[in-house]
Amino acid sequence: MKTFITIMMLSLSLWASGVHAQTSDEMTAAERKAIQEKLDSLMFVEAEKAVYDKDFTLEADKVEFKYGQTAFVNSNTNFVSVKGDKSVVQVAFNIPVSGPNGIGGITLDGTVSNYKVNKDKKGNINISMNVMGTGISAMVNIALYSGSNNASVTISPNFNSNRITLSGVIVPSFRSRVYKGSSI
């Protein structure tokens, strides 16, 4: 299945690059929209398979804090990764202080429990799980939106009420490009 998806992505990108060889005046907005919808659909199928296989990474580029403040962050250092029964939840903000993980935030390296996946009527996929690490643990709820690999994750630490919501994309682990800091 992984090979099939890779071949489909490659053929679509080759077809799209051939289309891009035309001048932008020749391609209509409807054609560009159709190409983007096909690409988003393939990305959703790939993300959905990775979620059910428990082998994915949500790379976040935006964070929303408990009271609604938002900030754009680096997707290489802000992520939730699941690989089998192991998970890494990391947040690292663009601040001059190094933080407990050495890159400006916190890294929870732990074990996944109560991993549940359900799909609603609209095709959105919701994942809930607990991640238990050595000093901290958290409840993690992920929403993968139908038709693309865009997702959001709400992280609720079990030791305080400082809930954080991250927004980004879900990719299979083999496509992930994240940097893990020191875990607690």
Side-chain angles (χ1 to χ4, degrees):
M1 183 67 175
K2 193 183 296 185
T3 309
F4 174 72
I5 291 173
T6 305
I7 290 170
M8 289 297 294
M9 295 287 287
L10 182 61
S11 63
L12 184 62
S13 65
L14 288 174
W15 178 74
S17 66
V19 170
H20 284 299
Q22 300 174 354
T23 63
S24 60
D25 295 334
E26 292 177 14
M27 188 174 3
T28 66
E31 290 172 334
R32 284 192 296 272
K33 184 178 178 183
I35 291 170
Q36 187 61 47
E37 286 176 356
K38 286 181 183 180
L39 184 59
D40 287 345
S41 174
L42 287 173
M43 298 297 272
F44 176 76
V45 169
E46 184 178 52
E48 180 180 26
K49 182 178 179 343
V51 164
Y52 282 108
D53 291 346
K54 292 173 76 171
D55 191 17
F56 67 91
T57 302
L58 187 150
E59 297 177 352
D61 58 3
K62 181 180 166 190
V63 63
E64 182 178 335
F65 298 100
K66 182 178 178 180
Y67 296 110
Q69 305 93 340
T70 61
F72 290 98
V73 292
N74 188 344
S75 64
N76 292 340
T77 57
N78 292 275
F79 64 91
V80 174
S81 176
V82 175
K83 195 162 185 107
D85 290 333
K86 298 293 181 188
S87 179
V88 176
V89 178
Q90 177 172 287
V91 291
F93 309 111
N94 302 331
I95 58 173
V97 181
S98 66
N101 64 359
I103 55 174
I106 296 173
T107 302
L108 167 59
D109 196 357
T111 306
V112 174
S113 64
N114 296 334
Y115 186 86
K116 296 177 186 169
V117 179
N118 63 14
K119 196 171 193 176
D120 66 14
K121 293 177 184 176
K122 295 180 180 179
N124 300 321
I125 297 174
N126 297 301
I127 304 113
S128 65
M129 63 182 166
N130 291 320
V131 180
M132 305 216 229
T134 322
I136 55 177
S137 61
M139 176 90 166
V140 178
N141 293 306
I142 302 172
L144 173 61
Y145 305 114
S146 178
S148 72
N149 64 339
N150 292 330
S152 68
V153 58
T154 302
I155 304 165
S156 303
N158 293 340
F159 60 89
N160 65 30
S161 63
N162 293 333
R163 180 188 43 132
I164 294 176
T165 302
L166 302 169
S167 300
V169 295
I170 291 183
V171 295
S173 293
F174 71 91
R175 286 185 189 247
S176 178
R177 50 182 178 79
V178 296
Y179 174 77
K180 181 181 168 232
S182 302
S183 58
I184 295 176

